[in-house]
Amino acid sequence: MNRRELITLLGGAATASSLRPLAARAQQPAKETTMPVVGFLSGTEANTFAPHVAGFRRGLKEAGYVEGQNVAVEYRWANNQLERLPVLAADLARRPVSVLFAVGGLPTALAAKAATPTIPIVLAFGSDPVKLGLVASLNRPGGNVTGVTFLAAQLGSKRLDLLRDLIPQATTVGFLSDPQNPTAEEQTRDILAAGQALGRQVIVLDARSDRDFEPAFANFIELRAGALVVGSTPLFTSDRKKLVALAARHKIPAIYESREFAVDGGLMSYGASVVDAVRLGGVYVGQILKGAKPADLPVQQSTRFELVINLKTAKALDLDIPDKLLAIADEVIE
């Protein structure tokens, strides 16, 4: 073999060798990319919680995640059947999800914590997580739980005070409570103490389901309650349109815990912005997906509170809203 033939042979071998890895790579299937999955657990109904879901998605987006693009969300709704929450939470934990987001009251938070000791959990609810044993402290939660807490049960006295400013002649005020809610006793103590301090007689009646709403309102009217404070509970939030309609039918001025009640025709609402709290929870979920640990994320306390007044409803009740209330209102619905 002469020199020219040897060079040609070696060159051909090199070319074939360089092509083989390319061909092999071309034959390998592309690796399937899987999105992280977030479990979304709520004790309420999907249709009544739509604004909160939108807030959650805004929070995810702020953290760099868009549902359907780089993160998937599995939703589980108890539809106010709180006894279903442990089963729903366990289902999400078995999936398993990367983060479990629990919103909609203390039963939801407890079900999430009981479902898994390892999967990161982000809560958004209106109770003290330290007092309830969900986290070690607000600044250093420890374990696998963190989230956002907002005042709900502790605002009954403020709502009663706002009703006094609106209807000073109403010396007897009703309080509608859900005894199945773990914070019911705390809410009742709070509003009874506020009533005593403000010189108001407070009548407490219970509603365990929407079937109890009509009898409770009838009793409030019979007992001559001049106004009504509706307690904080997922049941009332989900069935808010029924409560608002009953208050309108019986012509009883009522104050509720969240803006959604006033938007749906309630006279007045005062409370933390649950939508904003859920948004903050969405941000935390995104941070955990990026590698943050719940134990190192301080529990946030929502500081955004809203007073919303529905002037159309006030007119239907022949009420004139005092200027001082209009001046401090965050939103006036006309």
Side-chain angles (χ1 to χ4, degrees):
M1 179 182 293
N2 60 34
R3 184 171 179 273
R4 178 178 296 177
E5 289 174 336
L6 178 62
I7 292 173
T8 301
L9 179 62
L10 292 175
T15 303
S17 176
S18 65
L19 289 176
R20 274 197 297 271
L22 292 174
R25 287 196 295 269
Q27 291 172 3
Q28 292 177 354
K31 289 186 178 180
E32 184 178 339
T33 58
T34 57
M35 293 186 291
V37 179
V38 174
F40 187 108
L41 179 67
S42 174
T44 60
E45 299 175 340
N47 60 341
T48 61
F49 215 70
H52 305 79
V53 172
F56 173 69
R57 288 170 177 159
R58 284 198 299 272
L60 279 177
K61 189 174 183 179
E62 289 176 28
Y65 290 91
V66 177
E67 184 179 356
Q69 293 185 14
N70 58 354
V71 67
V73 182
E74 287 281 341
Y75 296 93
R76 298 292 185 274
W77 306 94
N79 297 321
N80 300 320
Q81 300 174 38
L82 301 184
E83 67 277 5
R84 296 182 59 220
L85 284 168
V87 175
L88 296 175
D91 176 52
L92 288 171
R94 282 193 302 267
R95 181 168 173 21
V97 295
S98 300
V99 186
L100 180 54
F101 182 66
V103 62
L106 178 58
T108 313
L110 294 175
K113 184 172 177 62
T116 173
T118 55
I119 296 174
I121 297 172
V122 176
L123 305 177
F125 75 131
S127 300
D128 184 346
V130 178
K131 182 178 179 181
L132 296 167
L134 294 168
V135 299
S137 71
L138 295 180
N139 288 332
R140 301 287 294 180
N144 65 320
V145 179
T146 186
V148 183
T149 181
F150 52 89
L151 293 175
Q154 299 85 353
L155 293 178
S157 57
K158 177 62 176 179
R159 296 180 187 117
L160 185 61
D161 191 33
L162 289 167
L163 276 181
R164 182 193 61 171
D165 290 340
L166 176 60
I167 315 168
Q169 69 273 19
T171 56
T172 300
V173 178
F175 177 66
L176 186 64
S177 173
D178 173 13
Q180 299 177 113
N181 191 320
T183 64
E185 289 187 12
E186 180 183 1
Q187 293 184 51
T188 300
R189 287 196 304 268
D190 179 56
I191 197 140
L192 288 175
Q196 186 175 11
L198 295 173
R200 296 293 185 270
Q201 179 187 2
V202 178
I203 301 167
V204 180
L205 292 177
D206 293 338
R208 291 175 171 81
S209 74
D210 59 350
R211 293 188 298 274
D212 298 327
F213 292 172
E214 179 67 63
F217 271 83
N219 284 334
F220 284 134
I221 297 302
E222 184 179 351
L223 295 171
R224 299 183 181 278
L228 173 65
V229 177
V230 175
S232 301
T233 176
L235 169 64
F236 297 164
T237 300
S238 291
D239 288 324
R240 61 181 179 267
K241 291 185 178 180
K242 295 179 182 178
L243 290 170
V244 166
L246 282 168
R249 187 195 313 166
H250 291 284
K251 292 189 176 299
I252 183 168
I255 187 168
Y256 310 88
E257 66 167 315
S258 65
R259 174 183 179 274
E260 288 74 25
F261 284 90
V263 171
D264 285 336
L267 173 63
M268 188 161 55
S269 68
Y270 180 78
S273 172
V274 181
V275 172
D276 189 63
V278 173
R279 178 190 65 79
L280 292 172
V283 173
Y284 260 13
V285 168
Q287 291 180 3
I288 291 172
L289 290 175
K290 290 180 177 179
K293 296 180 179 180
D296 300 329
L297 293 175
V299 175
Q300 299 186 65
Q301 297 185 72
S302 179
T303 57
R304 182 178 174 185
F305 296 90
E306 301 172 319
L307 171 61
V308 183
I309 299 172
N310 191 312
L311 288 184
K312 184 178 179 180
T313 302
K315 183 177 181 180
L317 294 170
D318 294 323
L319 290 175
D320 291 324
I321 306 296
D323 290 340
K324 68 175 183 178
L325 284 183
L326 292 174
I328 63 172
D330 297 276
E331 182 178 357
V332 176
I333 300 172
E334 302 190 47

